[in-house]
Amino acid sequence: MDFIGEIFQYKFLTHAALACLLCGVACGMIGTYVVCRRLVFLSGGITHASFGGIGMAYYFGANPLLGALLFAVLSALGIETFTARKQIREDSAIGLLWSLGMAIGIIFIYLTPGYAPNLMSFLFGNILSVTGTDIFWMGVVDLAILLIFGTMYHPILFVAFDREYARSQNFPTRTISYLMATLVAVTIVISIRVVGIVLLISLLTIPAVIGNLISKSFGRILFYGSVIAALSAFAGLYISYQTNIPSGASTIFVLTVTLIAVKTITFVRLKRRMKTR
């Protein structure tokens, strides 16, 4: 009860709790598309490529998250463009941008005079550093995601599962792919402070995987993934409050334990059904 009371008492905890909710919704919905379209490696590449933007922003004295956003969006669109035109294999393009982004980030951080005090928070997350401005933009991104999924649900569904069928139905598959790649990049950037670059790929993928174990419906996976991501982030924040360990790592630990538990329950139920037949 002390924890709940302090959420409403201290502004930094209020911001952290809101960040859990907003990032959970964004990562749950975008993560569902990522998992269904089998773009987990792509999300990891975009995440790590964004570190190059953080390093350059530090060097030029700009907002690190703006630099991360620029690099993430350009990386996502670049990968989509190269692979769509078959100029380079998707895994090769992702691997190239993954390592290049990290290399650029490290180079510019080392070239920056002095010490970069907030660097670790970008790598491993620091949810208590979330500001009111961050919350505002998280809300804007969440609203945009909800509107896009609400108005383009079926095209997104078909592109996620079968692009050839979507193309045969005259859906703008390339436009949807570029749009969703951009949303993946933006979701990654707004979630960096919550779990960090290193752990973010898990927040994008594990909730959707758990949701897929519970249901095979794309719409329900969107809902379950969002709820699981938000609750796990909040649980990670609570564990961090009680034990003074990083909330990002706690969140991923909670998600992993939840995945194992749901997988075990699903397996036991399947075995029982087979015995009753």
Side-chain angles (χ1 to χ4, degrees), residues 197-210:
I197 289 173
V198 176
L199 302 174
L200 185 50
I201 189 173
S202 296
L203 188 60
L204 277 171
T205 56
I206 297 179
V209 172
I210 297 173

Side-chain angles (χ1 to χ4, degrees), residues 112-124:
T112 304
Y115 174 69
N118 296 322
L119 179 60
M120 296 299 289
S121 67
F122 291 110
L123 289 175
F124 301 103

Side-chain angles (χ1 to χ4, degrees), residues 37-249:
R37 176 101 186 269
R38 299 182 180 180
L39 297 177
V40 175
F41 191 41
L42 170 66
S43 63
I46 296 172
T47 303
H48 287 77
S50 67
F51 188 68
I54 292 174
M56 291 187 68
Y58 263 119
Y59 181 79
F60 291 107
N63 187 329
L65 287 182
L66 288 178
L69 178 63
L70 178 63
F71 259 61
V73 172
L74 290 178
S75 298
L77 296 179
I79 292 171
E80 282 289 341
T81 300
F82 286 137
T83 55
R85 297 178 179 178
K86 303 186 183 303
Q87 293 179 341
I88 186 172
R89 286 180 50 177
E90 185 177 54
D91 57 346
S92 301
I94 294 170
L96 172 63
L97 289 174
W98 184 315
S99 56
L100 179 61
M102 292 296 292
I104 291 174
I106 293 170
I107 289 171
F108 275 93
I109 285 172
Y110 271 89
L111 290 175
T112 304
Y115 174 69
N118 296 322
L119 179 60
M120 296 299 289
S121 67
F122 291 110
L123 289 175
F124 301 103
N126 182 6
I127 198 170
L128 297 181
S129 67
V130 173
T131 64
T133 303
D134 295 329
I135 295 297
F136 170 78
W137 287 112
M138 289 178 187
V140 171
V141 172
D142 275 31
L143 181 60
I145 291 172
L146 289 171
L147 287 174
I148 290 171
F149 271 87
T151 56
M152 303 177 64
Y153 176 80
H154 286 99
I156 292 173
L157 169 65
F158 293 139
V159 170
F161 284 98
D162 192 341
R163 293 185 70 184
E164 294 303 321
Y165 176 77
R167 192 175 290 112
S168 70
Q169 298 300 305
N170 295 320
F171 286 125
T173 55
R174 181 166 295 183
T175 300
I176 293 172
S177 295
Y178 281 126
L179 176 61
M180 294 305 297
T182 302
L183 284 180
V184 171
V186 174
T187 300
I188 285 170
V189 173
I190 67 166
S191 305
I192 284 177
R193 291 194 188 275
V194 178
V195 293
I197 289 173
V198 176
L199 302 174
L200 185 50
I201 189 173
S202 296
L203 188 60
L204 277 171
T205 56
I206 297 179
V209 172
I210 297 173
N212 195 22
L213 289 173
I214 300 173
S215 174
K216 303 304 178 184
S217 166
F218 186 72
R220 290 181 180 178
I221 297 173
L222 287 172
F223 174 75
Y224 291 142
S226 298
V227 172
I228 291 167
L231 290 178
S232 298
F234 191 79
L237 178 63
Y238 176 74
I239 293 172
S240 177
Y241 171 84
Q242 294 291 346
T243 61
N244 199 31
I245 61 177
S247 60

